[in-house]
Amino acid sequence: MLRRVIVALVLVSPAALIGFEPPARPVRSSPAITQDTNAVPRAIRRDVPMTNAIRRAFEAGTRDRSGRPGPKYWQLQVDYAIDVRLDPATQTLTGSERVTLHNNSPDALTEIVLRLDHNIFRGLVPRGFSTPAENTDGMVVTRIGVNGEAVDLGARPAGGRGRGGAPRTLAVSGLDQTVARISLASPIAPASTATLEIDWRTKLPGGPGGRGHRMTQRWDDTLFQPTQWFPRVAKYDDLRGWDTQVYLGPAEFYNNFGRFDVRIDVPAGWLVSGTGVLRNPDEVLTATARERLARVLESDEVITIVGEHEAGPGRSTAPGDRLVWHYAAGMVNDFAWAAARSYMWRATRATIPGTGPIPIHMFHLPERAKLFANAAPITRHALEFYSKLLVPYPFPQLTLQDGPSAGMEYPMVLNSNQGAADHEAAHQWWPMMVGTNETVYGWMDEGFNQYMNILSQADARGVEPSLDGLGGRYGQTSGSEDEPPMMWAANHAGPMYGFQTYSKTPLMLSMLGGIVGDEAVQRALREYAGAWAFKHPSPWDFVFFMNNALGQDLNWFWYYWLWTTEAVNGSIAGVKADGGRAVVTVRQDGEMPAPVVLRVQLAPDGPEIEPMKNAKMIDATTAIVTWPVDVWFDGTRTFEAALDFGGRRVTGVTLDPHRRFPDRHADDNVWPRP
Ligand SMILES: [Zn+2]
């Protein structure tokens, strides 16, 4: 009935229905209104947008306008004690965990948000462009207790969540999704601790067809690479409260720091590697393996701990039917492990400034030894180089684990062979040490990492890193409708997720180096890593920290790179040469401004060269002349750069000679034109 009434209404003109007619439109005689960018001054934004979340944090003193943690900074600590059993026959983990949640926030927590990432392997949850190798039942939670009280897993949470006088009840929702919520009968008071007990099981997905890291976690029933395998407490922070971003596959994590105590029960003869330090080598290793391990820190040699032909209980491990491997880690934000029936175990060392030698472990299948042939020197170089570039590697070991996922990082664990070892090792600084929210701000993690990889790989080859050209290259991408700004949540970045999260940051830092110098950029990053180690910075903290570390208000720069997809698009519009003087007309057609940097070629003969104040001679007749970005702040699109080198004739000019500023066409940056 209702439907027929609606159909009748749409047949009548809306204006007739409400008794209103629009005024007659005047006949247009003037030209159509179109956009003429040249006719309007360029509106250069010189601050960064502030959100309610960061404003509140500044007011509360949890963060500081200097970019450092505020005097009232806090974060939760979440400790895990986990017992897990691997059954190769069913490819299933069965686990039981006791989670201690230290509520260091000033808030009474009325709920606990859980991350159940393995529910992405169920067929009916939302997913990004990752595809699991196999659909499973997901993470099947069989018991939850909060402070000793059992949660009825079948009951629906009461409506109103305790508002309007309704009593709060202990209940859970979303157990079949990647984010679940436990509503609490009594809140967790500030400065108090709550205990969660959870039992669960999850089948590790295997088989062909998995796409995306973490989407295939085993080879048949002989090698397992469990990640995101246990129910985790979501992040609760001063910016957004509980983090309720669903896990879609491509974007990564935002986890609490805490201590882990994990007991992994596997068949005897299987080797187990993982986050943390093995606490019971006497119970699970052979005497031979323990003796070999004792020599690892003595040299850079690669030592075989368990060889190809040492397989089975009593040879690769202690004898028995099943063995329980006990790993423990202090202050990490996740725990990953791997187990295989026929792993080889080799080890070497890296020497960390201030710490000394630490072990690098490599667990791989014998037939894949080639993929690990260079893993030791690459990983050692990465740990030692990044320790000097940023701050010393803070963990007691690093382990490479062979398996279907070959390019993924967890604390002290690289699911990688030599191919991605340098990149994955750098992740030990972000997000394992500086705990960025990768789900939303992937660039603060993958992007910084890509920049560091350029430096590391050049250092390993003994050459100067090449950062020239990178910033300029962004001019070719700018303008794509598919590109989300870097501040757009990476979890929803779409087809250009990879560019937004990985590739754009080195381009941005190339331009920053073009303004303040690459050494200054790296020094500031080092100070930032130190200030935020084992904490959780936001983009505003990063931006304001860098401004202070670099001693410059660069908010215009951050605004255009992080909040927009605009470019500079500079050119030389003309040169008026008059004897020994020249005036270069520089244009910027894009919305992003940039300093004016000219390489000026002077004639070999003539009056003696007197360098300009803003010039640096790079050889007898070539100078780099710069004007600060401020020359654009009045909105003009052209700048007249007057050149005078004591009357020496100017024979050539190149704008942005190091190609650091995003530019669509390089061929209009030179005079005379080729
Ligand atoms: Zn990465």
Side-chain angles (χ1 to χ4, degrees):
M1 291 290 275
L2 185 62
R3 195 186 184 100
R4 271 180 55 198
V5 172
I6 290 167
V7 169
L9 278 179
V10 293
L11 294 175
V12 183
S13 130
L17 271 179
I18 54 174
F20 169 80
E21 291 290 345
R25 209 180 269 191
V27 178
R28 181 180 295 284
S29 56
S30 52
I33 296 170
T34 57
Q35 173 159 305
D36 178 2
T37 305
N38 292 324
V40 290
R42 178 164 57 164
I44 294 172
R45 183 156 178 177
R46 291 164 60 191
D47 62 352
V48 297
M50 301 290 283
T51 61
N52 294 338
I54 192 69
R55 269 194 216 107
R56 274 197 306 268
F58 285 155
E59 278 160 26
T62 54
R63 290 163 202 261
D64 190 275
R65 285 181 171 80
S66 68
R68 290 180 176 272
K72 299 211 172 130
Y73 179 83
W74 54 264
Q75 63 193 28
L76 302 196
Q77 181 179 326
V78 182
D79 302 330
Y80 293 84
I82 308 178
D83 289 285
V84 62
R85 185 180 200 278
L86 168 68
D87 178 15
T90 59
Q91 301 98 46
T92 297
L93 301 181
T94 306
S96 181
E97 68 182 8
R98 184 183 169 84
V99 184
T100 309
L101 191 163
H102 304 268
N103 181 14
N104 300 326
S105 84
D107 311 324
L109 304 178
T110 58
E111 61 176 352
I112 298 172
V113 175
L114 291 181
R115 304 211 144 273
L116 308 176
D117 287 3
H118 272 210
N119 279 333
I120 199 169
F121 303 130
R122 291 162 45 86
L124 295 171
V125 298
R127 273 181 204 148
F129 45 82
S130 293
T131 314
E134 175 187 7
N135 277 3
T136 70
D137 294 339
M139 193 168 258
V140 181
V141 172
T142 52
R143 183 179 75 94
I144 302 179
V146 179
N147 288 332
E149 198 181 335
V151 181
D152 178 354
L153 301 187
R156 292 183 63 81
R161 291 178 187 277
R163 288 186 206 105
R168 289 180 188 283
T169 53
L170 182 61
V172 64
S173 62
L175 285 179
D176 56 356
Q177 301 294 310
T178 57
V179 174
R181 290 163 181 264
I182 303 172
S183 61
L184 301 173
S186 42
I188 307 168
S192 77
T193 293
T195 306
L196 265 170
E197 287 176 309
I198 305 180
D199 294 348
W200 80 99
R201 65 173 184 273
T202 185
K203 184 180 179 190
L204 301 177
R211 204 153 40 81
H213 285 300
R214 320 180 280 276
M215 288 305 191
T216 307
Q217 303 204 344
R218 66 182 168 87
W219 275 327
D220 299 323
D221 54 2
T222 56
L223 183 150
F224 295 86
Q225 220 179 4
T227 60
Q228 300 139 264
W229 54 280
F230 58 96
R232 295 182 288 190
V233 171
K235 193 95 190 65
Y236 181 87
D237 73 14
D238 58 319
L239 295 171
R240 295 187 180 83
W242 285 108
D243 173 31
T244 56
Q245 285 273 339
V246 294
Y247 176 56
L248 294 174
E252 290 168 7
F253 324 120
Y254 185 35
N255 291 334
N256 297 291
F257 285 103
R259 300 181 189 285
F260 281 77
D261 212 18
V262 181
R263 288 174 174 80
I264 303 167
D265 179 344
V266 299
W270 288 53
L271 292 180
V272 178
S273 55
T275 301
V277 172
L278 180 65
R279 300 300 291 271
N280 61 342
D282 293 352
E283 291 170 25
V284 296
L285 302 184
T286 63
T288 314
R290 293 199 304 271
E291 279 158 28
R292 292 169 181 168
L293 266 178
R295 300 196 346 254
V296 167
L297 299 185
E298 286 169 8
S299 76
D300 285 355
E301 194 189 332
V302 177
I303 293 178
T304 298
I305 312 299
V306 176
E308 179 176 357
H309 302 293
E310 296 169 303
R315 297 222 297 270
S316 58
T317 67
D321 174 34
R322 294 186 66 94
L323 295 172
V324 177
W325 296 59
H326 178 196
Y327 277 95
M331 281 314 131
V332 288
N333 53 18
D334 206 348
F335 189 102
W337 55 284
R341 195 173 63 189
S342 55
Y343 264 154
M344 292 179 65
W345 179 359
R346 299 185 307 134
T348 185
R349 71 170 185 185
T351 304
I352 308 301
T355 304
I358 61 155
I360 296 171
H361 300 288
M362 295 171 283
F363 289 80
H364 62 83
L365 297 182
E367 62 268 30
R368 288 164 58 84
K370 245 197 189 156
L371 295 171
F372 286 81
N374 294 317
I378 291 172
T379 310
R380 173 168 39 245
H381 176 269
L383 287 183
E384 294 176 355
F385 178 80
Y386 295 133
S387 287
K388 279 179 244 155
L389 180 70
L390 297 170
V391 297
Y393 180 71
F395 301 115
Q397 60 100 353
L398 186 68
T399 298
L400 285 79
Q401 303 180 153
D402 193 10
S405 177
M408 189 53 212
E409 69 284 1
Y410 296 91
M412 302 181 225
V413 162
L414 315 186
N415 279 342
S416 176
N417 52 54
Q418 63 204 21
D422 181 63
H423 176 88
E424 307 311 340
H427 276 305
Q428 299 302 318
W429 280 265
W430 7 78
M432 305 317 163
M433 187 186 79
V434 179
T436 304
N437 182 345
E438 298 175 272
T439 323
V440 177
Y441 310 115
W443 59 272
M444 296 178 78
D445 172 273
E446 299 295 357
F448 294 163
N449 198 330
Q450 295 289 113
Y451 176 77
M452 289 159 63
N453 302 158
I454 295 169
L455 308 180
S456 169
Q457 285 158 23
D459 184 77
R461 291 199 312 273
V463 299
E464 281 298 307
S466 144
L467 295 163
D468 285 352
L470 296 179
R473 196 190 293 168
Y474 178 61
Q476 270 103 66
T477 304
S478 168
S480 163
E481 280 188 45
D482 285 338
E483 188 200 341
M486 283 157 88
M487 287 299 288
W488 188 269
N491 214 23
H492 308 288
M496 285 182 74
Y497 166 79
F499 181 79
Q500 185 221 27
T501 301
Y502 288 75
S503 311
K504 192 173 175 180
T505 304
L507 313 187
M508 172 175 81
L509 295 179
S510 161
M511 172 157 171
L512 185 60
I515 300 166
V516 301
D518 296 322
E519 303 248 312
V521 173
Q522 289 152 31
R523 175 187 50 77
L525 278 176
R526 180 179 312 138
E527 292 169 12
Y528 165 72
W532 285 94
F534 298 98
K535 295 190 172 73
H536 303 280
S538 74
W540 292 268
D541 301 313
F542 170 70
V543 160
F544 297 148
F545 189 97
M546 293 296 276
N547 288 348
N548 283 293
L550 295 168
Q552 280 194 41
D553 180 351
L554 290 158
N555 286 337
W556 63 271
F557 173 89
W558 303 118
Y559 171 69
Y560 284 95
W561 276 98
L562 298 176
W563 275 269
T564 82
T565 56
E566 303 285 355
V568 175
N569 289 330
S571 60
I572 292 177
V575 176
K576 265 188 238 136
D578 176 15
R581 292 178 184 198
V583 175
V584 181
T585 304
V586 176
R587 263 196 78 80
Q588 291 189 350
D589 284 299
E591 298 311 302
M592 179 194 284
V596 174
V597 180
L598 298 179
R599 184 174 61 214
V600 178
Q601 193 61 49
L602 301 167
D605 314 296
E608 193 180 339
I609 291 174
E610 290 171 33
M612 296 169 59
K613 264 200 219 126
N614 53 341
K616 200 176 103 190
M617 299 304 295
I618 54 173
D619 64 32
T621 55
T622 313
I624 299 284
V625 196
T626 55
W627 287 264
V629 68
D630 311 44
V631 303
W632 305 106
F633 286 170
D634 64 358
T636 180
R637 288 189 174 275
T638 55
F639 171 70
E640 312 263 281
L643 301 177
D644 184 348
F645 284 80
R648 181 73 66 94
R649 196 165 53 86
V650 172
T651 60
V653 181
T654 304
L655 173 67
D656 183 19
H658 305 297
R659 308 273 298 118
R660 295 284 185 132
F661 308 144
D663 188 18
R664 203 185 307 275
H665 306 291
D667 47 7
D668 58 13
N669 288 13
V670 289
W671 176 84
R673 292 275 200 271

